[in-house]
Amino acid sequence: MADAGDYRILHEAALRDYLAGISDLKALLGGEPAAWEITEVGDGNLNLVFIVKGTRGGVAVKQALPYVRLVGESWPLPLSRAHYEYLALSKQAQLAPGLVPALLHHNETLALTVMELLEPHIIMRKGMVAATQYPGFVDDITTFMARTLFFTSDLALSAAEKKQGIAAFAGNHALCKITEDLIFTDPYRIAEQNRWTAPYLDRLAAGLRDDMELHVAISRLKLKFMASPEALLHGDLHTGSIMVTESQTRVIDPEFAFYGPMGFDVGAVLANLLMAYFASAGHERTPGERQAFESWVLETVEQVWNEFARKFLDLWRAGATGDAYPASLFAGEKGAACLEAERQAYMQRLFTDTVGFAAAKTLRRIFGLAHNIDFELIEDPRRRAISEARAVRLARAMMVEAGAFPNISDVTGAARKLRDWQPEFANG
Amino acid sequence: MADAGDYRILHEAALRDYLAGISDLKALLGGEPAAWEITEVGDGNLNLVFIVKGTRGGVAVKQALPYVRLVGESWPLPLSRAHYEYLALSKQAQLAPGLVPALLHHNETLALTVMELLEPHIIMRKGMVAATQYPGFVDDITTFMARTLFFTSDLALSAAEKKQGIAAFAGNHALCKITEDLIFTDPYRIAEQNRWTAPYLDRLAAGLRDDMELHVAISRLKLKFMASPEALLHGDLHTGSIMVTESQTRVIDPEFAFYGPMGFDVGAVLANLLMAYFASAGHERTPGERQAFESWVLETVEQVWNEFARKFLDLWRAGATGDAYPASLFAGEKGAACLEAERQAYMQRLFTDTVGFAAAKTLRRIFGLAHNIDFELIEDPRRRAISEARAVRLARAMMVEAGAFPNISDVTGAARKLRDWQPEFANG
């Protein structure tokens, strides 16, 4: 892991020298180092990200800063997150080849990783604001989730391997703490960093702070997040962590990786699709112009869950080499039938978790510190607030009435019904 | 941790020399080392245990062997378990002072620990076979469990401290594996090491192997055991791991310690009390002679749960310094009421776990490798089998109909009804 003593921030000139000194990268980039085009593009909250282009090729360079970039040096954050990101990325590359950027170089001391330059991929969230459909997305993201989650779970690993994995990521607690605070705690209490679309959402924000049923629900989810190491999670799987073309998908930035509850990753994807759906009305310039996109989004929500569940179950049926549900206890026709019923029950429990975590991921984007451009780029604050209020209404129900959403179609059905729902302030 | 290179087994003479070389221990024992009385007393399954007495005092010495003592060198077992035992014992001594033996010396390389000699304490299981009541037991064991479980849980620790604890015990997976195999798997399938009171229990044993509802239930419990690090468990908290006098209780042998589900420890205590209850009829020489003891056992079962829950809740109400259920989300009168309701719901979930784990701990003692003297000392195999069959009947119901046991009085009520129940083979 990065040793703070030898760490230094590599700005443009130093980065150029550093890359020039690594022969493989120099060859890949091509031409004279002095001529390489280096651009800082980090629009995330935590790190420096450079795109470097030579005469032959390009790379992306990510370096962790010893503090939260969004906030500054007053909020220190350990460089070791680069170690965990590298560890997770390596594991994901092995389990879901072609769905994460290729790793080219890693320097623990500098907390720096050099990766394949993804071109012409864009951040999926940006594409969705522009109403772009991604026909390959469902297949890719469900393969990514099914394989990374299944193969790091007790269904595929021995208990010893699993414990080893948990221990290997246990040190990434500072990143987990960000999630624990910003997703599971702060939006529900007075916190300096909270913000929302005022004044329209003032009442909803106050409601969030007073709603004890919601506080119990979010606290149960928080406890599950902290104490249910079911599988190696990406840990931050929103549409800003996914780069796409119409035919390709790459999952990036797993620095929040740790062993946690699977529903947190799956819920993140669903929540961000649902937010894109509710935001869509706010981006509409003429009625109905984004209808095809919106239908695609809700179909995608359904397919993400259904395909994820199908692939996960297929992996389980084909390769349950782990210590959980040992085959020897489910021999014969009756055993096979009972195990299959239990697999379905397992997925149902996972779906319930997913619904709750999706709700948590939604509310934090509307009332917490980190917002998303789906909503933020709606310029008219009243229209933005209307979109947000619809998302909040669904999320609140998903969090406290999980039983009302036994199937993914119950979620999309509720979303569809809220598409044109008008909150009180809409005409106020 | 023990380095196999320098490890050697200390038999009597070598142990004498070793202890003589440690001035504190030499002084504590008193007199000439050559005159020290050294007796090997290990009746457990895994280790060497010596009692050493000098002219002034005595100590107990426990040394791990690189294999399972019960089976021999063909079943290797890592010496590192002595490290985890020492770690757990130190933590327990801090959290539940006076309820574990005092630690006097530890040598990582030799996988050896010297502890306070517990005199005139006896193994609780032996006392219960003799129908001895232990009036101080409820208070002591519930203090031990409430404090060790609460203070190592997310209710008392920060998420970072919790993850650190989990990682510190992750290496003890070989001991966890013994539990995973012998408790959660083998009794439910054909396994060479299984044994039971044949021929009387042959049908029940076959039933256990064919009962798919039970296989689903035990597999869910196994998964919970593997993937729910709720708190630092003792991991083997049966009445053979508890030494008692009528007024004192000491919990020993935490070499199975790891972060797991709390219900596993609480269930272990309840299961072993219930087995003592069912075994009691088999030890009866004249009808009713053990009635007072049996009443005390069932009262103790109820009080162990009730007092544990009361103490655990009191700790939670008084000192919830952990990251779970943050106080800031439950401010005001309404918040306090909701949090209290959630505490009760939390205990109800923990009780359901406890009931399931208690059932698992019971069935393994009747059909698996390791039996207990409660049943084994019933000489007449038919009487032994009758006692065992009653315990099996209750355990089966507890495992698959957990909903039928919402309160501990439902468990004791069911046990009482089975006291004189006659299985089919009773008059066969």
Side-chain angles (χ1 to χ4, degrees), chain B residues 242-257:
Chain B
I242 301 170
M243 297 193 69
V244 284
T245 65
E246 291 206 9
S247 62
Q248 288 198 348
T249 311
R250 295 286 184 278
V251 177
I252 63 171
D253 288 351
E255 66 204 313
F256 284 83

Side-chain angles (χ1 to χ4, degrees), chain A residues 180-222:
Chain A
E180 287 148 19
D181 288 346
L182 296 192
I183 297 185
F184 294 107
T185 315
D186 285 352
Y188 306 88
R189 65 181 175 190
I190 290 174
E192 209 185 328
Q193 295 166 323
N194 287 344
R195 61 187 182 85
W196 56 83
T197 305
Y200 306 104
L201 298 190
D202 287 355
R203 270 187 63 185
L204 280 182
L208 222 63
R209 294 194 297 269
D210 290 341
D211 186 339
M212 287 301 148
E213 210 182 340
L214 206 55
H215 290 200
V216 167
I218 195 70
S219 297
R220 284 189 188 184
L221 289 166
K222 183 181 184 182

Side-chain angles (χ1 to χ4, degrees), chain A residues 154 159-160 163 170 173 180 188-189 212 215-216 219-220 222 226-227 229 323-325 328-330 335 338 342 349, chain B residues 154 159-160 163 170 173 180 188-189 212 215-216 219-220 222 227 229 323-325 328-330 335 338 342 349:
Chain A
D154 292 284
K163 283 193 168 68
H173 51 76
E180 287 148 19
Y188 306 88
R189 65 181 175 190
M212 287 301 148
H215 290 200
V216 167
S219 297
R220 284 189 188 184
K222 183 181 184 182
M226 296 192 297
D323 281 343
Y325 297 101
S328 55
L329 292 197
F330 299 97
C338 281
E342 175 61 8
R349 295 192 292 272
Chain B
D154 293 283
K163 284 193 167 65
H173 51 77
E180 287 148 20
Y188 305 88
R189 66 181 175 191
M212 288 300 147
H215 289 201
V216 167
S219 297
R220 286 189 187 183
K222 183 182 183 182
D323 281 342
Y325 297 100
S328 55
L329 293 197
F330 299 97
C338 281
E342 175 61 8
R349 294 193 291 273

Side-chain angles (χ1 to χ4, degrees), chain A residues 196-388:
Chain A
W196 56 83
T197 305
Y200 306 104
L201 298 190
D202 287 355
R203 270 187 63 185
L204 280 182
L208 222 63
R209 294 194 297 269
D210 290 341
D211 186 339
M212 287 301 148
E213 210 182 340
L214 206 55
H215 290 200
V216 167
I218 195 70
S219 297
R220 284 189 188 184
L221 289 166
K222 183 181 184 182
L223 182 58
K224 186 160 276 185
F225 180 83
M226 296 192 297
S228 295
E230 296 173 352
L232 177 59
L233 305 190
H234 177 282
D236 195 27
L237 195 49
H238 54 74
T239 44
S241 297
I242 301 172
M243 297 194 69
V244 284
T245 65
E246 291 206 9
S247 64
Q248 287 198 348
T249 311
R250 296 286 184 278
V251 177
I252 64 171
D253 289 352
E255 67 205 313
F256 285 82
F258 80 114
Y259 274 74
M262 301 185 192
F264 187 74
D265 267 7
V266 188
V269 172
L270 296 185
N272 282 275
L273 293 173
L274 288 166
M275 284 190 275
Y277 173 75
F278 287 115
S280 185
H283 295 297
E284 197 179 52
R285 287 154 310 176
T286 57
E289 66 164 352
R290 296 172 61 104
Q291 204 169 11
F293 170 75
E294 290 171 21
S295 296
W296 174 78
V297 175
L298 289 192
E299 260 166 52
T300 300
V301 168
E302 292 186 7
Q303 288 176 4
V304 164
W305 172 260
N306 290 332
E307 279 297 285
F308 163 73
R310 188 184 66 76
K311 289 177 185 178
F312 190 95
L313 282 167
D314 279 351
L315 291 171
W316 188 349
R317 291 180 193 119
T321 52
D323 281 343
Y325 297 101
S328 55
L329 292 197
F330 299 97
E333 211 172 302
K334 197 178 158 213
C338 281
L339 180 55
E340 183 55 28
E342 175 61 8
R343 287 193 193 103
Q344 301 292 339
Y346 180 102
M347 295 313 285
Q348 196 59 47
R349 295 192 292 272
L350 177 47
F351 183 69
T352 303
D353 287 358
T354 298
V355 167
F357 285 122
K361 295 284 262 180
T362 300
L363 295 175
R364 68 80 59 110
R365 291 285 184 185
I366 297 171
F367 298 104
L369 169 66
H371 288 232
N372 60 39
I373 57 166
D374 309 68
F375 293 128
E376 296 294 287
L377 289 182
I378 302 172
E379 273 179 38
D380 176 359
R382 187 192 304 266
R383 287 185 75 188
R384 188 192 320 137
I386 291 171
S387 279
E388 290 173 330

Side-chain angles (χ1 to χ4, degrees), chain B residues 52-128:
Chain B
V52 184
K53 289 186 178 179
T55 53
R56 179 184 297 162
V59 298
V61 182
K62 183 170 179 179
Q63 184 177 33
L65 294 168
Y67 49 82
V68 177
R69 182 180 180 167
L70 177 69
V71 177
E73 298 192 23
S74 63
W75 187 346
L77 198 64
L79 296 171
S80 62
R81 66 187 189 273
H83 163 82
Y84 298 108
E85 176 165 7
Y86 176 72
L87 208 62
L89 210 44
S90 307
K91 191 75 197 165
Q92 291 163 352
Q94 175 201 333
L95 295 175
L99 295 174
V100 292
L103 280 165
L104 302 174
H105 173 76
H106 178 66
N107 183 317
E108 290 274 322
T109 307
L110 294 177
L112 176 148
T113 303
V114 183
M115 287 164 283
E116 166 192 17
L117 179 62
L118 296 173
E119 256 184 346
H121 303 69
I122 65 164
I123 291 290
M124 185 176 183
R125 206 189 285 290
K126 291 183 186 169
M128 294 189 84

